[in-house]
Amino acid sequence: MAATQVLSIGVGLLLGLMTLLFIFRIVLTWYPQADLSKLPFALVAWPTEPFLAPMRKLVPPIGGVDIAPVIWVGIVTLLREILVGQQGLLRMIG
């Protein structure tokens, strides 16, 4: 297996995992009583919060709804498509 194929698979899995974590984070916003500092919620909050905190400064909650995770789902999905999609950059060079 070529190095670019391994890289493509790794990047695809990482970006897919991040998308899934942001989707879980969206679901967790529906439950404000969930304590994000305790397991199992901390497993979702810990890797996503470094991305969400700066985004919340740029895009504050609208009507009390935090849309930062929705924006990150779009960004990560677009990035995954550009890099490892059917005509992605890593597939073209590999």
Side-chain angles (χ1 to χ4, degrees):
M1 196 183 279
T4 55
Q5 289 176 327
V6 172
L7 181 65
S8 177
I9 291 170
V11 168
L13 288 173
L14 178 68
L15 292 174
L17 176 65
M18 287 305 292
T19 302
L20 190 62
L21 288 173
F22 283 122
I23 290 172
F24 284 152
R25 195 66 191 257
I26 292 169
V27 172
L28 284 176
T29 61
W30 300 339
Y31 300 99
Q33 72 274 12
D35 187 5
L36 296 179
S37 64
K38 297 192 177 173
L39 290 174
F41 306 121
L43 295 174
V44 174
W46 177 73
T48 57
E49 192 59 34
F51 296 97
L52 294 175
M55 184 62 73
R56 287 186 188 115
K57 291 179 184 174
L58 291 173
V59 182
I62 298 173
V65 177
D66 184 18
I67 62 167
V70 176
I71 293 170
W72 272 107
V73 166
I75 291 170
V76 173
T77 304
L78 177 65
L79 190 60
R80 185 175 184 198
E81 186 63 33
I82 288 171
L83 292 176
V84 295
Q86 190 172 4
Q87 295 178 348
L89 295 174
L90 292 176
R91 289 199 185 222
M92 291 170 66
I93 62 172

